[in-house]
Amino acid sequence: MTEFDRAVQVFINESLELTDDVEQLLLNQTLLDEQFSEWIDELFRAIHTIKGSAGLFGFDEITTLTHLLESLLAQMRDGQTRLDDGLLATLIESNDVVRQQVSALSQAQPLPNTESVVARLTPYLIQVITSSTEIHTPEPEKSVDDCSGVWHISLRPEPHVLEDGLDPIRFIHYLGTKGELEHIELVTESLHVSIKEESFQPQKSYLGYEIRFNAFTNKNQILDAFDFLLNDAQVEVLSPESSFDDYVALAERLTGSTDHLMSLWAGMSVITPEQYRNWQSHQCEPDSEPTYRPNIVTSKTLRVEAEKLDRLIDLVGEMVIMGARTNLLAHQTGNEPLIESMAMLERLVEGIRDSSLQLRMVQIGDTFNKFKRIARDTAQELGKHVELIVSGAETELDKTFVEKLSDPLTHLVRNAIDHGLELAADRVAAGKPNSGVIRLNAYHDSGSIVIEVSDDGKGIDEERVLSQAKALGLVHGEEVLTKREIWNLIFEPGFSTSQTVTDLSGRGVGMDVVKKNIELLRGNIEISSEQGKGSRFIIRLPLTLSIVDGFMFKVAGGDYVIPLDNVVECLELSEVLQGAQSTSKRYVHLRDEVLPFLRLAEWFGIQRTVDSEQEALIVIQLGSLRAGLVVDSLSGEFQTVVKPLGPLFEGLQGISGATILGSGEVAIILDIFALIQTALNPSDRVNTERFN
């Protein structure tokens, strides 16, 4: 990949992020109502950045459209064009087209046609021109910041700007197109570097710039010329009306020798020689080090390709496995210094593991924000009023989940609006506000990520669901189901309560796909509903798909692992069953709680190798659900690197993956949710053919 290709890829990534930011701003009604000036400035800045970058690469189609948007936003900022629902919809559509244009570049496809969106934008622009010709209106007053004369600009790029593809000289040349560059001086002493030093690196930027710029302009317009450099440089601007004291203050703000700058400015006629001499004579300690004002340190981010992170996690996983193997061998030798060293090495490996996994953790807020648009479009399509409330946006989860959760969450939000929320008239008749509420919430719980999608609609009509299930043959005869079992019927393939087929519902394909996709992430989904009050869908996922702290045990000679965070306690089964008439019972009384349990040997369909007196009971919990697992023996905590089992074992009930032990043997990782559900539902407990 050439340098140009890499630069284009950076433009594509940043522009896509900016279009996402623009969409969120356009959907942020609160900011629009309360802080219009800030809102319009943020929009203008994002569109201006895309336009400028596209112009640098010669992407004229993107430049043309963003220029129209920029002009329209300028009219709105000046109060010439009033924002209404129609214009807001046009701006959202225009931003969609800009995103499509940028996406087409990333896929090396022709850019989409913009005639339709330009046709929608043009009337708003023509309206201002027409009104100004038909009705005489006084010209707007010039900004009080506008000033004619020689401006002074001090530019101090960061050392890394050249490596990032940013050439300060090009920005200075661009500034020259807006006025006259009268004088430019290069500064090296102020950057504390000597070109003669052995540490000199040619790819670094070591120069600062002192610029005299003659134009009728203002400070903001000058800063706009350096827009793409502002995060990677210190840019100071003084107007033609600035006093000598202003220059003294500027010299103190800039990194380097104050005396050197004052001398340089005297040579540039920025200040007079007499002013410089008087300033020197008033310095109390001329030989002392100048007082520097610290620069503002901005947060820096490094963009890393996802594939590189995935490769890093894979290598860390292999290191964890090899560490376990080496630790086992160290214990077999009985060499105490070696065992102690391996313990220290294991702690370091754990630190590397945690830090590596943290690199892939992202806040879910960015994912939640996109649903504002989905909620808006779906509500408009259905003629409903909807408010989307987001909480827990700062909750972090693995980037893999973010990518794969988008479709399930999209369907749940659309389903809540379509099936859950009533029409405005029906809500008012039921004593509710005419606008329905969809809530997206995320939080951490017991080593898991929990995401909730809830609404304040009509809830699930259990009788209607049961009737439809019987019609489809999902429920037979007079079979009695609990509420939870009735709710779970909506996850059955082909199930739908819609009377007609629309673009949103009626085909019976959706909720079953939601459940399947979540289970593929080793997660589960539960439902809670109350008629007339609303419904809540609860998604529970592991913190990561790669490396987890596990708890290992044996069943019939085989090794099995479950997530350590789901383990509540471990007990001897014989003590818990003490005094019981039969050891074949399926539940125990544990601290005044009835706890159902599952004998894993029976569930696997294999012969038990120990009697009940030797068996152990592991109490596990997932959310509000709790059950026990009866195993042959306990092996203890184990750092687990999750390995997929491959397509042959996909959909195997109760299995979520495998891991490699230090001995080189394979241990099966069990699905906690499936085990608890089986313990709670006796009909699913024993299936001797499941693994045969």
Side-chain angles (χ1 to χ4, degrees):
M1 181 182 290
T2 65
E3 292 291 338
F4 179 80
D5 292 334
R6 279 193 285 268
V8 170
Q9 190 58 52
V10 170
F11 160 74
I12 291 171
N13 294 337
E14 291 182 347
S15 296
L16 289 175
E17 291 178 2
L18 287 169
T19 55
D20 290 341
D21 293 342
V22 169
E23 181 175 277
Q24 295 309 314
L25 285 167
L26 293 172
L27 296 172
N28 195 332
Q29 192 67 39
T30 302
L31 182 60
L32 170 60
D33 294 340
E34 297 177 358
Q35 298 172 308
F36 178 80
S37 177
E38 179 182 340
W39 178 83
I40 198 72
D41 285 344
E42 289 289 335
L43 278 177
F44 194 92
R45 189 176 298 110
I47 294 297
H48 177 74
T49 301
I50 297 174
K51 185 190 83 167
S53 299
L56 289 175
F57 291 103
F59 300 139
D60 296 335
E61 296 91 338
I62 299 177
T63 304
T64 300
L65 179 54
T66 50
H67 179 71
L68 289 176
L69 283 170
E70 193 178 48
S71 301
L72 181 53
L73 291 172
Q75 293 173 186
M76 294 166 56
R77 184 170 58 184
D78 296 338
Q80 296 173 295
T81 300
R82 187 176 63 85
L83 181 65
D84 55 22
D85 290 341
L87 177 54
L88 186 61
T90 301
L91 290 173
I92 291 175
E93 180 187 350
S94 303
N95 184 61
D96 288 344
V97 175
V98 174
R99 184 189 290 117
Q100 293 166 11
Q101 288 178 315
V102 177
S103 298
L105 289 175
S106 66
Q107 300 168 9
Q109 296 178 349
L111 270 62
N113 191 293
T114 60
E115 291 182 1
S116 175
V117 70
V118 169
R120 293 193 61 180
L121 284 171
T122 303
Y124 293 100
L125 296 167
I126 294 177
Q127 178 183 1
V128 175
I129 299 172
T130 304
S131 62
S132 63
T133 56
E134 293 178 352
I135 303 174
H136 175 70
T137 56
E139 293 184 4
E141 295 182 2
K142 293 184 175 70
S143 170
V144 294
D145 295 329
D146 287 340
C147 185
S148 180
V150 181
W151 295 72
H152 186 84
I153 304 162
S154 295
L155 174 62
R156 299 292 187 271
E158 296 286 345
H160 60 78
V161 292
L162 297 178
E163 296 173 302
D164 293 344
L166 300 172
D167 185 354
I169 297 295
R170 293 186 178 273
F171 290 92
I172 296 174
H173 284 170
Y174 177 71
L175 177 66
T177 65
K178 309 298 182 182
E180 181 184 356
L181 294 171
E182 286 196 349
H183 196 158
I184 302 176
E185 287 285 345
L186 300 181
V187 183
T188 57
E189 182 181 343
S190 62
L191 298 181
H192 298 291
V193 67
S194 171
I195 296 179
K196 297 180 181 179
E197 290 182 4
E198 295 180 359
S199 60
F200 174 76
Q201 301 177 38
Q203 71 273 21
K204 299 288 187 182
S205 172
Y206 293 107
L207 298 177
Y209 305 85
E210 294 297 317
I211 306 166
R212 300 294 283 171
F213 177 60
N214 194 337
F216 178 77
T217 185
N218 58 55
K219 181 177 179 179
N220 287 335
Q221 291 177 351
I222 293 176
L223 291 176
D224 282 346
F226 298 96
D227 194 19
F228 303 107
L229 198 61
L230 293 179
N231 290 332
D232 300 282
Q234 182 182 7
V235 184
E236 298 281 355
V237 180
L238 292 182
S239 74
E241 301 172 349
S242 298
S243 66
F244 175 76
D245 290 339
D246 294 329
Y247 281 96
V248 174
L250 173 59
E252 293 176 350
R253 285 200 302 273
L254 293 170
T255 302
S257 169
T258 305
D259 181 72
H260 173 77
L261 281 176
M262 296 296 285
S263 175
L264 178 66
W265 289 341
M268 295 174 64
S269 299
V270 175
I271 60 177
T272 66
E274 183 180 0
Q275 286 175 321
Y276 173 59
R277 286 192 297 271
N278 290 337
W279 175 81
Q280 273 192 317
S281 65
H282 283 83
Q283 299 304 300
C284 296
E285 299 178 5
D287 296 329
S288 63
E289 288 294 325
T291 302
Y292 302 120
R293 183 172 299 182
N295 296 327
I296 297 175
V297 179
T298 57
S299 175
K300 301 294 182 182
T301 58
L302 177 65
R303 192 185 303 275
V304 179
E305 294 178 4
E307 292 181 359
K308 292 182 179 179
L309 282 181
D310 293 340
R311 176 61 178 160
L312 173 63
I313 299 301
D314 289 341
L315 290 173
V316 171
E318 295 302 322
M319 184 169 63
V320 169
I321 294 173
M322 187 54 62
R325 170 66 173 164
T326 308
N327 188 50
L328 179 63
L329 294 175
H331 279 81
Q332 290 176 352
T333 64
N335 188 316
E336 290 299 329
L338 178 60
I339 294 173
E340 183 178 345
S341 296
M342 277 307 306
M344 295 177 64
L345 181 60
E346 276 195 322
R347 287 195 292 270
L348 291 174
V349 170
E350 288 179 6
I352 294 173
R353 177 202 67 177
D354 295 340
S355 298
S356 301
L357 292 177
Q358 193 64 32
L359 292 176
R360 286 208 315 197
M361 302 297 281
V362 296
Q363 292 188 350
I364 200 170
D366 292 338
T367 302
F368 278 177
N369 285 335
K370 65 176 285 187
F371 293 105
K372 294 178 182 178
R373 175 69 182 278
I374 294 172
R376 175 185 179 274
D377 292 348
T378 305
Q380 286 185 342
E381 184 176 347
L382 296 171
K384 296 181 178 180
H385 302 287
V386 176
E387 178 185 5
L388 182 69
I389 298 177
V390 172
S391 56
E394 70 285 352
T395 304
E396 292 187 335
L397 73 167
D398 196 302
K399 185 178 183 296
T400 306
F401 291 132
V402 173
E403 298 169 349
K404 297 182 179 180
L405 272 177
S406 180
D407 287 345
L409 287 178
T410 297
H411 189 86
L412 288 175
V413 170
R414 290 165 66 94
N415 193 71
I417 298 173
D418 187 14
H419 292 287
L421 298 181
E422 312 93 331
L423 292 170
D426 296 333
R427 290 182 62 85
V428 172
K432 297 180 178 181
N434 65 342
S435 180
V437 176
I438 303 290
R439 296 181 184 273
L440 285 174
N441 183 33
Y443 55 92
H444 289 141
D445 179 52
S446 300
S448 301
I449 296 289
V450 181
I451 302 173
E452 298 180 351
V453 181
S454 60
D455 64 77
D456 65 344
K458 55 191 174 185
I460 296 177
D461 188 337
E462 290 142 16
E463 293 184 1
R464 185 177 179 184
V465 169
L466 189 57
S467 175
Q468 183 70 11
K470 290 180 177 179
L472 294 172
L474 300 174
V475 178
H476 303 284
E478 300 301 322
E479 186 177 353
V480 179
L481 302 179
T482 64
K483 280 190 174 185
R484 188 179 299 274
E485 290 171 335
I486 295 175
W487 296 336
N488 287 331
L489 287 172
I490 68 174
F491 291 122
E492 294 294 330
F495 185 87
S496 176
T497 57
S498 295
Q499 302 297 325
T500 57
V501 176
T502 67
D503 291 338
L504 293 175
S505 60
R507 294 181 175 85
V509 289
M511 295 302 287
D512 63 317
V513 176
V514 168
K515 184 179 181 182
K516 180 180 178 181
N517 288 343
I518 291 173
E519 289 177 345
L520 288 175
L521 295 174
R522 302 206 323 270
N524 63 83
I525 182 169
E526 302 176 53
I527 304 176
S528 175
S529 180
E530 184 177 353
Q531 290 193 36
K533 296 293 183 64
S535 301
R536 183 163 58 119
F537 292 82
I538 306 163
I539 299 172
R540 190 176 295 271
L541 299 165
L543 283 176
T544 177
L545 290 175
S546 304
I547 305 172
V548 297
D549 289 323
F551 187 81
M552 190 163 63
F553 51 85
K554 288 184 177 291
V555 176
D559 293 301
Y560 299 89
V561 178
I562 57 177
L564 181 63
D565 289 325
N566 297 113
V567 177
V568 178
E569 61 180 322
C570 299
L571 305 165
E572 290 185 12
L573 183 64
S574 58
E575 291 185 0
V576 179
L577 293 176
Q578 191 172 10
Q581 297 297 320
S582 172
T583 59
S584 62
K585 59 193 298 187
R586 303 297 180 183
Y587 64 90
V588 295
H589 289 280
L590 183 64
R591 303 184 189 91
D592 298 326
E593 176 188 2
V594 177
L595 181 75
F597 66 83
L598 177 68
R599 293 183 183 274
L600 289 181
E602 293 181 6
W603 192 63
F604 291 154
I606 53 182
Q607 187 68 35
R608 279 194 288 171
T609 57
V610 298
D611 56 38
S612 58
E613 293 184 358
Q614 297 175 294
E615 291 176 321
L617 177 69
I618 305 175
V619 181
I620 58 175
Q621 182 169 343
L622 185 65
S624 60
L625 304 177
R626 181 179 289 208
L629 301 178
V630 176
V631 302
D632 292 353
S633 62
L634 306 175
S635 303
E637 298 180 16
F638 176 72
Q639 198 171 85
T640 306
V641 180
V642 182
K643 299 287 187 180
L645 287 173
L648 181 63
F649 298 95
E650 282 185 4
L652 192 62
Q653 184 181 359
I655 304 297
S656 62
T659 187
I660 301 175
L661 305 178
S663 61
E665 298 178 346
V666 174
I668 300 299
I669 302 174
L670 300 180
D671 182 352
I672 285 293
F673 182 71
L675 297 178
I676 292 181
Q677 287 291 88
T678 303
L680 295 174
N681 297 282
S683 59
D684 293 336
R685 281 210 175 108
V686 181
N687 185 351
T688 57
E689 298 180 357
R690 181 177 281 112
F691 295 98
N692 294 340

